[in-house]
Amino acid sequence: MTDVLAFLTFGESLFVALALAVYAAVIWMIVDILRRPDFSGLEKVLWSIAGLVLSVATLIVYFVWVRKRDYSR
C-alpha cells in the first residue's frame, strides 16, 4: 500500500481524497434516502439511481432542496 502512495504527487493524493469523500457522501445520501419515510418507493429508486449516475449534481440538489424537508410528517 505504501508503494502505491509513494508514486502519487500531492495533487493526485488530494484528488483521490476528494473522490473518496464524494463517494462516501453518495453512499450516505443513498442510505438516508432509503431510510426517509416521506419518500415513496419510486422516489427512492429514482433518487438512488440519480445519486449513482450523477453523483456531485445529485448531492448538491439533495443537500440544498431535499434535506430541508421535515421528517415529522
Short mmCIF file of all heavy atoms in Angstrom, two decimals:
data_model
loop_
_atom_site.label_atom_id
_atom_site.label_comp_id
_atom_site.label_asym_id
_atom_site.label_seq_id
_atom_site.Cartn_x
_atom_site.Cartn_y
_atom_site.Cartn_z
N MET A 1 0.82 -1.20 0.00
CA MET A 1 0.00 0.00 0.00
C MET A 1 0.86 1.25 0.00
O MET A 1 0.54 2.20 -0.67
CB MET A 1 -0.93 -0.04 1.22
CG MET A 1 -1.86 1.11 1.29
SD MET A 1 -3.09 0.97 0.00
CE MET A 1 -4.11 2.34 0.36
N THR A 2 1.93 1.26 0.76
CA THR A 2 2.78 2.45 0.81
C THR A 2 3.51 2.66 -0.51
O THR A 2 3.84 3.78 -0.85
CB THR A 2 3.80 2.36 1.95
OG1 THR A 2 4.56 1.18 1.79
CG2 THR A 2 3.10 2.36 3.29
N ASP A 3 3.76 1.57 -1.27
CA ASP A 3 4.41 1.73 -2.57
C ASP A 3 3.51 2.49 -3.54
O ASP A 3 3.98 3.29 -4.33
CB ASP A 3 4.76 0.37 -3.17
CG ASP A 3 5.84 -0.35 -2.37
OD1 ASP A 3 6.64 0.35 -1.71
OD2 ASP A 3 5.87 -1.59 -2.40
N VAL A 4 2.24 2.24 -3.47
CA VAL A 4 1.30 2.95 -4.34
C VAL A 4 1.25 4.42 -3.97
O VAL A 4 1.26 5.29 -4.83
CB VAL A 4 -0.10 2.31 -4.25
CG1 VAL A 4 -1.12 3.14 -5.00
CG2 VAL A 4 -0.07 0.90 -4.77
N LEU A 5 1.18 4.70 -2.69
CA LEU A 5 1.10 6.09 -2.25
C LEU A 5 2.39 6.86 -2.50
O LEU A 5 2.37 8.08 -2.64
CB LEU A 5 0.73 6.15 -0.77
CG LEU A 5 -0.65 5.61 -0.41
CD1 LEU A 5 -0.86 5.65 1.09
CD2 LEU A 5 -1.73 6.38 -1.13
N ALA A 6 3.50 6.16 -2.58
CA ALA A 6 4.78 6.83 -2.80
C ALA A 6 4.87 7.42 -4.21
O ALA A 6 5.60 8.38 -4.43
CB ALA A 6 5.92 5.85 -2.57
N PHE A 7 4.13 6.88 -5.14
CA PHE A 7 4.19 7.36 -6.52
C PHE A 7 3.19 8.48 -6.80
O PHE A 7 3.19 9.06 -7.87
CB PHE A 7 3.96 6.21 -7.49
CG PHE A 7 5.07 5.22 -7.50
CD1 PHE A 7 4.89 3.94 -6.99
CD2 PHE A 7 6.31 5.56 -8.01
CE1 PHE A 7 5.92 3.03 -6.99
CE2 PHE A 7 7.36 4.65 -8.02
CZ PHE A 7 7.16 3.38 -7.50
N LEU A 8 2.32 8.78 -5.87
CA LEU A 8 1.34 9.83 -6.06
C LEU A 8 1.92 11.18 -5.65
O LEU A 8 2.57 11.30 -4.62
CB LEU A 8 0.08 9.56 -5.23
CG LEU A 8 -0.75 8.35 -5.61
CD1 LEU A 8 -1.91 8.19 -4.65
CD2 LEU A 8 -1.26 8.43 -7.03
N THR A 9 1.65 12.18 -6.47
CA THR A 9 2.05 13.53 -6.09
C THR A 9 1.01 14.09 -5.12
O THR A 9 -0.02 13.46 -4.86
CB THR A 9 2.12 14.44 -7.33
OG1 THR A 9 0.81 14.56 -7.89
CG2 THR A 9 3.09 13.89 -8.36
N PHE A 10 1.28 15.27 -4.59
CA PHE A 10 0.34 15.88 -3.65
C PHE A 10 -1.01 16.14 -4.33
O PHE A 10 -2.06 15.90 -3.75
CB PHE A 10 0.91 17.19 -3.10
CG PHE A 10 -0.06 17.90 -2.20
CD1 PHE A 10 -0.31 17.43 -0.92
CD2 PHE A 10 -0.74 19.03 -2.64
CE1 PHE A 10 -1.22 18.07 -0.10
CE2 PHE A 10 -1.64 19.67 -1.82
CZ PHE A 10 -1.88 19.20 -0.53
N GLY A 11 -0.98 16.62 -5.55
CA GLY A 11 -2.23 16.90 -6.27
C GLY A 11 -3.03 15.64 -6.53
O GLY A 11 -4.25 15.63 -6.40
N GLU A 12 -2.35 14.55 -6.89
CA GLU A 12 -3.04 13.30 -7.11
C GLU A 12 -3.61 12.75 -5.81
O GLU A 12 -4.72 12.22 -5.79
CB GLU A 12 -2.08 12.28 -7.74
CG GLU A 12 -1.68 12.63 -9.16
CD GLU A 12 -0.53 11.78 -9.66
OE1 GLU A 12 0.19 11.19 -8.83
OE2 GLU A 12 -0.37 11.69 -10.89
N SER A 13 -2.87 12.88 -4.74
CA SER A 13 -3.36 12.44 -3.44
C SER A 13 -4.59 13.24 -3.02
O SER A 13 -5.55 12.69 -2.48
CB SER A 13 -2.27 12.58 -2.37
OG SER A 13 -1.17 11.80 -2.68
N LEU A 14 -4.57 14.53 -3.28
CA LEU A 14 -5.71 15.38 -2.97
C LEU A 14 -6.93 14.98 -3.80
O LEU A 14 -8.05 14.93 -3.29
CB LEU A 14 -5.34 16.84 -3.22
CG LEU A 14 -6.28 17.90 -2.69
CD1 LEU A 14 -6.38 17.82 -1.17
CD2 LEU A 14 -5.80 19.27 -3.10
N PHE A 15 -6.70 14.67 -5.07
CA PHE A 15 -7.79 14.24 -5.95
C PHE A 15 -8.39 12.92 -5.46
O PHE A 15 -9.61 12.76 -5.45
CB PHE A 15 -7.29 14.11 -7.39
CG PHE A 15 -8.34 13.63 -8.34
CD1 PHE A 15 -9.35 14.49 -8.76
CD2 PHE A 15 -8.35 12.33 -8.80
CE1 PHE A 15 -10.33 14.06 -9.62
CE2 PHE A 15 -9.33 11.88 -9.66
CZ PHE A 15 -10.32 12.75 -10.07
N VAL A 16 -7.55 11.99 -5.07
CA VAL A 16 -8.03 10.70 -4.56
C VAL A 16 -8.84 10.91 -3.29
O VAL A 16 -9.91 10.31 -3.11
CB VAL A 16 -6.85 9.73 -4.32
CG1 VAL A 16 -7.29 8.51 -3.54
CG2 VAL A 16 -6.23 9.31 -5.64
N ALA A 17 -8.37 11.76 -2.40
CA ALA A 17 -9.09 12.03 -1.15
C ALA A 17 -10.44 12.68 -1.44
O ALA A 17 -11.46 12.33 -0.82
CB ALA A 17 -8.25 12.92 -0.25
N LEU A 18 -10.49 13.60 -2.39
CA LEU A 18 -11.74 14.25 -2.77
C LEU A 18 -12.71 13.26 -3.39
O LEU A 18 -13.91 13.26 -3.07
CB LEU A 18 -11.47 15.41 -3.73
CG LEU A 18 -12.69 16.20 -4.20
CD1 LEU A 18 -13.35 16.89 -3.01
CD2 LEU A 18 -12.29 17.21 -5.25
N ALA A 19 -12.21 12.39 -4.26
CA ALA A 19 -13.06 11.38 -4.88
C ALA A 19 -13.63 10.43 -3.84
O ALA A 19 -14.82 10.08 -3.88
CB ALA A 19 -12.28 10.62 -5.94
N LEU A 20 -12.81 10.01 -2.89
CA LEU A 20 -13.30 9.13 -1.82
C LEU A 20 -14.34 9.83 -0.96
O LEU A 20 -15.34 9.22 -0.55
CB LEU A 20 -12.14 8.65 -0.96
CG LEU A 20 -11.19 7.65 -1.63
CD1 LEU A 20 -10.01 7.36 -0.72
CD2 LEU A 20 -11.93 6.38 -2.00
N ALA A 21 -14.15 11.11 -0.69
CA ALA A 21 -15.12 11.87 0.09
C ALA A 21 -16.45 12.00 -0.64
O ALA A 21 -17.53 11.88 -0.03
CB ALA A 21 -14.57 13.26 0.42
N VAL A 22 -16.41 12.22 -1.95
CA VAL A 22 -17.64 12.33 -2.74
C VAL A 22 -18.39 11.00 -2.73
O VAL A 22 -19.61 10.96 -2.51
CB VAL A 22 -17.34 12.77 -4.18
CG1 VAL A 22 -18.54 12.57 -5.09
CG2 VAL A 22 -16.91 14.22 -4.21
N TYR A 23 -17.69 9.90 -2.93
CA TYR A 23 -18.37 8.60 -2.95
C TYR A 23 -18.86 8.20 -1.57
O TYR A 23 -19.91 7.56 -1.45
CB TYR A 23 -17.49 7.53 -3.58
CG TYR A 23 -17.47 7.69 -5.08
CD1 TYR A 23 -16.33 8.09 -5.75
CD2 TYR A 23 -18.62 7.47 -5.83
CE1 TYR A 23 -16.33 8.27 -7.12
CE2 TYR A 23 -18.64 7.65 -7.20
CZ TYR A 23 -17.49 8.05 -7.83
OH TYR A 23 -17.50 8.21 -9.19
N ALA A 24 -18.18 8.59 -0.52
CA ALA A 24 -18.68 8.35 0.83
C ALA A 24 -19.96 9.15 1.06
O ALA A 24 -20.92 8.65 1.66
CB ALA A 24 -17.62 8.71 1.86
N ALA A 25 -19.99 10.38 0.56
CA ALA A 25 -21.19 11.21 0.70
C ALA A 25 -22.35 10.64 -0.12
O ALA A 25 -23.51 10.68 0.31
CB ALA A 25 -20.90 12.65 0.27
N VAL A 26 -22.06 10.07 -1.29
CA VAL A 26 -23.10 9.45 -2.11
C VAL A 26 -23.67 8.24 -1.40
O VAL A 26 -24.90 8.04 -1.37
CB VAL A 26 -22.55 9.08 -3.51
CG1 VAL A 26 -23.53 8.18 -4.25
CG2 VAL A 26 -22.27 10.32 -4.32
N ILE A 27 -22.82 7.43 -0.80
CA ILE A 27 -23.30 6.26 -0.06
C ILE A 27 -24.17 6.72 1.12
O ILE A 27 -25.24 6.15 1.36
CB ILE A 27 -22.12 5.39 0.41
CG1 ILE A 27 -21.48 4.72 -0.81
CG2 ILE A 27 -22.57 4.36 1.44
CD1 ILE A 27 -20.16 4.03 -0.50
N TRP A 28 -23.72 7.76 1.84
CA TRP A 28 -24.52 8.28 2.95
C TRP A 28 -25.87 8.79 2.44
O TRP A 28 -26.91 8.55 3.06
CB TRP A 28 -23.77 9.41 3.66
CG TRP A 28 -24.63 10.06 4.68
CD1 TRP A 28 -24.84 9.67 5.97
CD2 TRP A 28 -25.46 11.21 4.48
NE1 TRP A 28 -25.73 10.51 6.58
CE2 TRP A 28 -26.12 11.47 5.69
CE3 TRP A 28 -25.68 12.06 3.39
CZ2 TRP A 28 -27.00 12.53 5.83
CZ3 TRP A 28 -26.55 13.11 3.54
CH2 TRP A 28 -27.20 13.33 4.76
N MET A 29 -25.86 9.49 1.30
CA MET A 29 -27.09 10.03 0.74
C MET A 29 -28.05 8.91 0.37
O MET A 29 -29.25 8.99 0.67
CB MET A 29 -26.78 10.87 -0.50
CG MET A 29 -28.02 11.44 -1.18
SD MET A 29 -27.67 12.28 -2.72
CE MET A 29 -27.15 10.92 -3.75
N ILE A 30 -27.56 7.84 -0.24
CA ILE A 30 -28.43 6.74 -0.63
C ILE A 30 -29.02 6.05 0.60
O ILE A 30 -30.21 5.73 0.63
CB ILE A 30 -27.66 5.75 -1.54
CG1 ILE A 30 -27.40 6.42 -2.89
CG2 ILE A 30 -28.44 4.46 -1.72
CD1 ILE A 30 -26.50 5.64 -3.81
N VAL A 31 -28.21 5.86 1.63
CA VAL A 31 -28.73 5.27 2.87
C VAL A 31 -29.79 6.18 3.48
O VAL A 31 -30.84 5.71 3.92
CB VAL A 31 -27.57 5.00 3.87
CG1 VAL A 31 -28.11 4.66 5.25
CG2 VAL A 31 -26.67 3.90 3.35
N ASP A 32 -29.55 7.49 3.47
CA ASP A 32 -30.52 8.43 4.01
C ASP A 32 -31.80 8.42 3.20
O ASP A 32 -32.90 8.48 3.76
CB ASP A 32 -29.91 9.84 4.04
CG ASP A 32 -30.79 10.82 4.80
OD1 ASP A 32 -31.02 10.58 6.00
OD2 ASP A 32 -31.23 11.80 4.19
N ILE A 33 -31.68 8.32 1.89
CA ILE A 33 -32.86 8.26 1.03
C ILE A 33 -33.68 7.01 1.34
O ILE A 33 -34.91 7.07 1.45
CB ILE A 33 -32.45 8.28 -0.47
CG1 ILE A 33 -31.96 9.67 -0.86
CG2 ILE A 33 -33.60 7.83 -1.36
CD1 ILE A 33 -31.28 9.72 -2.20
N LEU A 34 -33.02 5.89 1.48
CA LEU A 34 -33.73 4.64 1.73
C LEU A 34 -34.40 4.62 3.10
O LEU A 34 -35.39 3.91 3.30
CB LEU A 34 -32.78 3.46 1.58
CG LEU A 34 -32.22 3.24 0.17
CD1 LEU A 34 -31.21 2.12 0.17
CD2 LEU A 34 -33.34 2.98 -0.82
N ARG A 35 -33.91 5.41 4.04
CA ARG A 35 -34.48 5.44 5.38
C ARG A 35 -35.55 6.50 5.54
O ARG A 35 -36.27 6.50 6.54
CB ARG A 35 -33.37 5.70 6.40
CG ARG A 35 -32.38 4.55 6.48
CD ARG A 35 -31.30 4.83 7.44
NE ARG A 35 -31.89 4.91 8.78
CZ ARG A 35 -31.27 5.41 9.83
NH1 ARG A 35 -30.05 5.86 9.72
NH2 ARG A 35 -31.87 5.44 11.00
N ARG A 36 -35.70 7.40 4.58
CA ARG A 36 -36.67 8.50 4.71
C ARG A 36 -38.10 7.97 4.57
O ARG A 36 -38.44 7.33 3.58
CB ARG A 36 -36.43 9.57 3.66
CG ARG A 36 -35.20 10.40 3.94
CD ARG A 36 -35.04 11.46 2.89
NE ARG A 36 -36.00 12.53 3.06
CZ ARG A 36 -35.77 13.63 3.78
NH1 ARG A 36 -34.63 13.77 4.39
NH2 ARG A 36 -36.67 14.56 3.87
N PRO A 37 -38.95 8.29 5.54
CA PRO A 37 -40.35 7.82 5.45
C PRO A 37 -41.20 8.66 4.50
O PRO A 37 -42.27 8.21 4.09
CB PRO A 37 -40.85 7.97 6.89
CG PRO A 37 -40.02 9.05 7.47
CD PRO A 37 -38.67 8.94 6.80
N ASP A 38 -40.75 9.84 4.12
CA ASP A 38 -41.57 10.71 3.28
C ASP A 38 -41.35 10.48 1.78
O ASP A 38 -41.96 11.16 0.97
CB ASP A 38 -41.36 12.18 3.63
CG ASP A 38 -39.91 12.61 3.54
OD1 ASP A 38 -39.03 11.74 3.70
OD2 ASP A 38 -39.65 13.80 3.34
N PHE A 39 -40.51 9.53 1.41
CA PHE A 39 -40.33 9.19 0.00
C PHE A 39 -41.09 7.91 -0.31
O PHE A 39 -41.08 6.97 0.48
CB PHE A 39 -38.85 8.95 -0.32
CG PHE A 39 -38.04 10.20 -0.53
CD1 PHE A 39 -36.68 10.10 -0.73
CD2 PHE A 39 -38.61 11.45 -0.56
CE1 PHE A 39 -35.91 11.22 -0.94
CE2 PHE A 39 -37.85 12.58 -0.76
CZ PHE A 39 -36.50 12.46 -0.95
N SER A 40 -41.71 7.87 -1.49
CA SER A 40 -42.35 6.64 -1.93
C SER A 40 -41.27 5.70 -2.48
O SER A 40 -40.11 6.08 -2.63
CB SER A 40 -43.38 6.94 -3.01
OG SER A 40 -42.74 7.36 -4.20
N GLY A 41 -41.66 4.50 -2.82
CA GLY A 41 -40.71 3.53 -3.36
C GLY A 41 -40.10 4.01 -4.66
O GLY A 41 -38.90 3.87 -4.88
N LEU A 42 -40.91 4.59 -5.55
CA LEU A 42 -40.40 5.07 -6.83
C LEU A 42 -39.44 6.24 -6.63
O LEU A 42 -38.40 6.31 -7.29
CB LEU A 42 -41.56 5.50 -7.73
CG LEU A 42 -41.18 6.01 -9.12
CD1 LEU A 42 -40.47 4.92 -9.90
CD2 LEU A 42 -42.39 6.51 -9.85
N GLU A 43 -39.76 7.15 -5.71
CA GLU A 43 -38.86 8.27 -5.44
C GLU A 43 -37.51 7.78 -4.90
O GLU A 43 -36.47 8.29 -5.28
CB GLU A 43 -39.48 9.22 -4.42
CG GLU A 43 -40.59 10.08 -4.97
CD GLU A 43 -41.22 10.95 -3.90
OE1 GLU A 43 -41.46 10.43 -2.79
OE2 GLU A 43 -41.45 12.13 -4.18
N LYS A 44 -37.55 6.80 -4.06
CA LYS A 44 -36.31 6.24 -3.51
C LYS A 44 -35.45 5.64 -4.61
O LYS A 44 -34.24 5.84 -4.65
CB LYS A 44 -36.62 5.19 -2.44
CG LYS A 44 -37.19 5.77 -1.17
CD LYS A 44 -37.50 4.70 -0.15
CE LYS A 44 -38.11 5.33 1.08
NZ LYS A 44 -38.35 4.36 2.15
N VAL A 45 -36.08 4.91 -5.52
CA VAL A 45 -35.34 4.30 -6.62
C VAL A 45 -34.75 5.36 -7.54
O VAL A 45 -33.58 5.30 -7.92
CB VAL A 45 -36.25 3.33 -7.41
CG1 VAL A 45 -35.59 2.88 -8.70
CG2 VAL A 45 -36.62 2.13 -6.55
N LEU A 46 -35.56 6.37 -7.89
CA LEU A 46 -35.08 7.41 -8.80
C LEU A 46 -33.95 8.24 -8.19
O LEU A 46 -32.96 8.54 -8.86
CB LEU A 46 -36.24 8.32 -9.21
CG LEU A 46 -37.30 7.67 -10.11
CD1 LEU A 46 -38.44 8.64 -10.36
CD2 LEU A 46 -36.68 7.19 -11.41
N TRP A 47 -34.08 8.61 -6.91
CA TRP A 47 -33.02 9.37 -6.25
C TRP A 47 -31.74 8.52 -6.13
O TRP A 47 -30.64 9.04 -6.28
CB TRP A 47 -33.46 9.84 -4.86
CG TRP A 47 -34.18 11.14 -4.89
CD1 TRP A 47 -35.52 11.33 -4.77
CD2 TRP A 47 -33.61 12.44 -5.06
NE1 TRP A 47 -35.81 12.66 -4.85
CE2 TRP A 47 -34.66 13.37 -5.02
CE3 TRP A 47 -32.32 12.91 -5.23
CZ2 TRP A 47 -34.45 14.74 -5.15
CZ3 TRP A 47 -32.10 14.26 -5.36
CH2 TRP A 47 -33.16 15.16 -5.33
N SER A 48 -31.90 7.24 -5.84
CA SER A 48 -30.72 6.37 -5.71
C SER A 48 -30.00 6.22 -7.05
O SER A 48 -28.77 6.29 -7.11
CB SER A 48 -31.14 5.00 -5.18
OG SER A 48 -31.69 5.11 -3.90
N ILE A 49 -30.75 6.02 -8.12
CA ILE A 49 -30.13 5.91 -9.45
C ILE A 49 -29.47 7.22 -9.83
O ILE A 49 -28.34 7.23 -10.35
CB ILE A 49 -31.18 5.48 -10.50
CG1 ILE A 49 -31.60 4.03 -10.24
CG2 ILE A 49 -30.63 5.63 -11.92
CD1 ILE A 49 -32.75 3.56 -11.10
N ALA A 50 -30.13 8.33 -9.57
CA ALA A 50 -29.54 9.64 -9.87
C ALA A 50 -28.26 9.85 -9.07
O ALA A 50 -27.28 10.40 -9.57
CB ALA A 50 -30.54 10.75 -9.60
N GLY A 51 -28.27 9.40 -7.82
CA GLY A 51 -27.08 9.52 -6.99
C GLY A 51 -25.91 8.72 -7.51
O GLY A 51 -24.76 9.15 -7.42
N LEU A 52 -26.18 7.56 -8.08
CA LEU A 52 -25.11 6.74 -8.63
C LEU A 52 -24.61 7.27 -9.97
O LEU A 52 -23.42 7.21 -10.26
CB LEU A 52 -25.59 5.30 -8.79
CG LEU A 52 -25.85 4.55 -7.49
CD1 LEU A 52 -26.49 3.21 -7.77
CD2 LEU A 52 -24.56 4.38 -6.70
N VAL A 53 -25.51 7.81 -10.78
CA VAL A 53 -25.13 8.26 -12.11
C VAL A 53 -24.56 9.68 -12.10
O VAL A 53 -23.54 9.96 -12.71
CB VAL A 53 -26.35 8.17 -13.07
CG1 VAL A 53 -26.01 8.74 -14.44
CG2 VAL A 53 -26.79 6.72 -13.20
N LEU A 54 -25.22 10.58 -11.41
CA LEU A 54 -24.83 11.99 -11.38
C LEU A 54 -24.44 12.38 -9.96
O LEU A 54 -25.11 13.19 -9.32
CB LEU A 54 -25.99 12.87 -11.86
CG LEU A 54 -26.56 12.52 -13.22
CD1 LEU A 54 -27.86 13.24 -13.44
CD2 LEU A 54 -25.55 12.88 -14.30
N SER A 55 -23.38 11.84 -9.47
CA SER A 55 -23.02 11.92 -8.05
C SER A 55 -22.99 13.33 -7.50
O SER A 55 -23.72 13.66 -6.56
CB SER A 55 -21.65 11.27 -7.83
OG SER A 55 -21.67 9.95 -8.25
N VAL A 56 -22.16 14.19 -8.04
CA VAL A 56 -21.96 15.52 -7.47
C VAL A 56 -23.21 16.39 -7.63
O VAL A 56 -23.63 17.05 -6.67
CB VAL A 56 -20.73 16.21 -8.10
CG1 VAL A 56 -20.57 17.61 -7.59
CG2 VAL A 56 -19.48 15.38 -7.83
N ALA A 57 -23.82 16.37 -8.79
CA ALA A 57 -25.02 17.18 -9.01
C ALA A 57 -26.16 16.74 -8.11
O ALA A 57 -26.86 17.57 -7.53
CB ALA A 57 -25.44 17.09 -10.47
N THR A 58 -26.33 15.44 -7.95
CA THR A 58 -27.39 14.93 -7.09
C THR A 58 -27.12 15.28 -5.64
O THR A 58 -28.05 15.60 -4.89
CB THR A 58 -27.52 13.41 -7.26
OG1 THR A 58 -27.71 13.10 -8.64
CG2 THR A 58 -28.71 12.87 -6.48
N LEU A 59 -25.86 15.20 -5.21
CA LEU A 59 -25.52 15.59 -3.84
C LEU A 59 -25.89 17.04 -3.55
O LEU A 59 -26.47 17.35 -2.51
CB LEU A 59 -24.03 15.40 -3.59
CG LEU A 59 -23.57 14.01 -3.23
CD1 LEU A 59 -22.05 13.95 -3.23
CD2 LEU A 59 -24.11 13.60 -1.89
N ILE A 60 -25.58 17.92 -4.47
CA ILE A 60 -25.87 19.34 -4.29
C ILE A 60 -27.37 19.56 -4.19
O ILE A 60 -27.86 20.23 -3.27
CB ILE A 60 -25.26 20.17 -5.43
CG1 ILE A 60 -23.73 20.13 -5.34
CG2 ILE A 60 -25.76 21.61 -5.39
CD1 ILE A 60 -23.02 20.69 -6.54
N VAL A 61 -28.13 18.99 -5.11
CA VAL A 61 -29.58 19.15 -5.10
C VAL A 61 -30.17 18.53 -3.83
O VAL A 61 -31.04 19.12 -3.19
CB VAL A 61 -30.21 18.52 -6.36
CG1 VAL A 61 -31.73 18.47 -6.25
CG2 VAL A 61 -29.79 19.29 -7.59
N TYR A 62 -29.68 17.38 -3.45
CA TYR A 62 -30.21 16.70 -2.26
C TYR A 62 -29.98 17.52 -1.01
O TYR A 62 -30.88 17.68 -0.19
CB TYR A 62 -29.57 15.32 -2.13
CG TYR A 62 -30.15 14.50 -1.01
CD1 TYR A 62 -31.40 13.92 -1.15
CD2 TYR A 62 -29.47 14.31 0.17
CE1 TYR A 62 -31.95 13.17 -0.13
CE2 TYR A 62 -30.01 13.57 1.20
CZ TYR A 62 -31.25 13.00 1.04
OH TYR A 62 -31.79 12.27 2.06
N PHE A 63 -28.77 18.03 -0.82
CA PHE A 63 -28.49 18.80 0.38
C PHE A 63 -29.22 20.14 0.41
O PHE A 63 -29.68 20.57 1.46
CB PHE A 63 -26.99 19.05 0.53
CG PHE A 63 -26.26 17.85 1.06
CD1 PHE A 63 -25.29 17.24 0.30
CD2 PHE A 63 -26.55 17.33 2.30
CE1 PHE A 63 -24.61 16.13 0.77
CE2 PHE A 63 -25.88 16.23 2.79
CZ PHE A 63 -24.91 15.62 2.03
N VAL A 64 -29.36 20.78 -0.73
CA VAL A 64 -29.99 22.10 -0.77
C VAL A 64 -31.51 22.01 -0.69
O VAL A 64 -32.15 22.78 0.02
CB VAL A 64 -29.56 22.86 -2.04
CG1 VAL A 64 -30.38 24.11 -2.24
CG2 VAL A 64 -28.08 23.17 -1.97
N TRP A 65 -32.10 21.03 -1.38
CA TRP A 65 -33.54 21.01 -1.54
C TRP A 65 -34.21 19.96 -0.65
O TRP A 65 -35.14 20.27 0.09
CB TRP A 65 -33.87 20.75 -3.00
CG TRP A 65 -35.33 20.74 -3.33
CD1 TRP A 65 -36.27 21.65 -2.95
CD2 TRP A 65 -36.00 19.77 -4.11
NE1 TRP A 65 -37.49 21.29 -3.47
CE2 TRP A 65 -37.36 20.15 -4.18
CE3 TRP A 65 -35.59 18.62 -4.77
CZ2 TRP A 65 -38.29 19.40 -4.88
CZ3 TRP A 65 -36.53 17.90 -5.47
CH2 TRP A 65 -37.87 18.28 -5.52
N VAL A 66 -33.76 18.74 -0.68
CA VAL A 66 -34.47 17.65 -0.02
C VAL A 66 -34.23 17.61 1.48
O VAL A 66 -35.13 17.37 2.25
CB VAL A 66 -34.09 16.30 -0.67
CG1 VAL A 66 -34.75 15.15 0.05
CG2 VAL A 66 -34.46 16.30 -2.13
N ARG A 67 -33.01 17.83 1.92
CA ARG A 67 -32.69 17.72 3.34
C ARG A 67 -33.42 18.75 4.20
O ARG A 67 -33.49 18.60 5.40
CB ARG A 67 -31.19 17.84 3.59
CG ARG A 67 -30.39 16.65 3.19
CD ARG A 67 -30.69 15.46 4.02
NE ARG A 67 -30.26 15.66 5.40
CZ ARG A 67 -30.52 14.86 6.38
NH1 ARG A 67 -31.21 13.78 6.17
NH2 ARG A 67 -30.10 15.11 7.59
N LYS A 68 -34.00 19.76 3.58
CA LYS A 68 -34.75 20.77 4.33
C LYS A 68 -36.14 20.28 4.72
O LYS A 68 -36.79 20.89 5.54
CB LYS A 68 -34.87 22.06 3.53
CG LYS A 68 -33.56 22.78 3.39
CD LYS A 68 -33.76 24.08 2.68
CE LYS A 68 -32.43 24.80 2.58
NZ LYS A 68 -32.59 26.09 1.92
N ARG A 69 -36.58 19.16 4.13
CA ARG A 69 -37.90 18.62 4.45
C ARG A 69 -37.92 18.15 5.90
O ARG A 69 -36.92 17.74 6.47
CB ARG A 69 -38.23 17.43 3.57
CG ARG A 69 -38.55 17.80 2.16
CD ARG A 69 -39.02 16.57 1.44
NE ARG A 69 -39.24 16.84 0.03
CZ ARG A 69 -39.58 15.90 -0.84
NH1 ARG A 69 -39.74 14.65 -0.45
NH2 ARG A 69 -39.76 16.20 -2.09
N ASP A 70 -39.10 18.16 6.45
CA ASP A 70 -39.28 17.76 7.85
C ASP A 70 -39.67 16.28 7.91
O ASP A 70 -40.54 15.84 7.17
CB ASP A 70 -40.36 18.63 8.49
CG ASP A 70 -40.52 18.38 9.96
OD1 ASP A 70 -39.58 17.84 10.57
OD2 ASP A 70 -41.56 18.75 10.50
N TYR A 71 -39.04 15.52 8.80
CA TYR A 71 -39.36 14.11 8.98
C TYR A 71 -40.68 13.89 9.70
O TYR A 71 -41.21 12.80 9.70
CB TYR A 71 -38.27 13.42 9.82
CG TYR A 71 -37.06 13.01 9.04
CD1 TYR A 71 -35.83 13.61 9.27
CD2 TYR A 71 -37.12 11.99 8.12
CE1 TYR A 71 -34.71 13.22 8.58
CE2 TYR A 71 -36.01 11.59 7.42
CZ TYR A 71 -34.80 12.19 7.67
OH TYR A 71 -33.69 11.81 6.98
N SER A 72 -41.22 14.88 10.35
CA SER A 72 -42.37 14.68 11.24
C SER A 72 -43.71 14.54 10.52
O SER A 72 -44.73 14.50 11.18
CB SER A 72 -42.44 15.84 12.23
OG SER A 72 -42.67 17.05 11.56
N ARG A 73 -43.73 14.49 9.23
CA ARG A 73 -44.99 14.33 8.51
C ARG A 73 -45.61 12.98 8.73
O ARG A 73 -45.05 11.99 8.80
CB ARG A 73 -44.79 14.52 7.02
CG ARG A 73 -44.56 15.94 6.66
CD ARG A 73 -44.75 16.07 5.19
NE ARG A 73 -43.52 16.51 4.58
CZ ARG A 73 -43.35 16.55 3.30
NH1 ARG A 73 -44.26 16.10 2.51
NH2 ARG A 73 -42.26 17.01 2.78
#
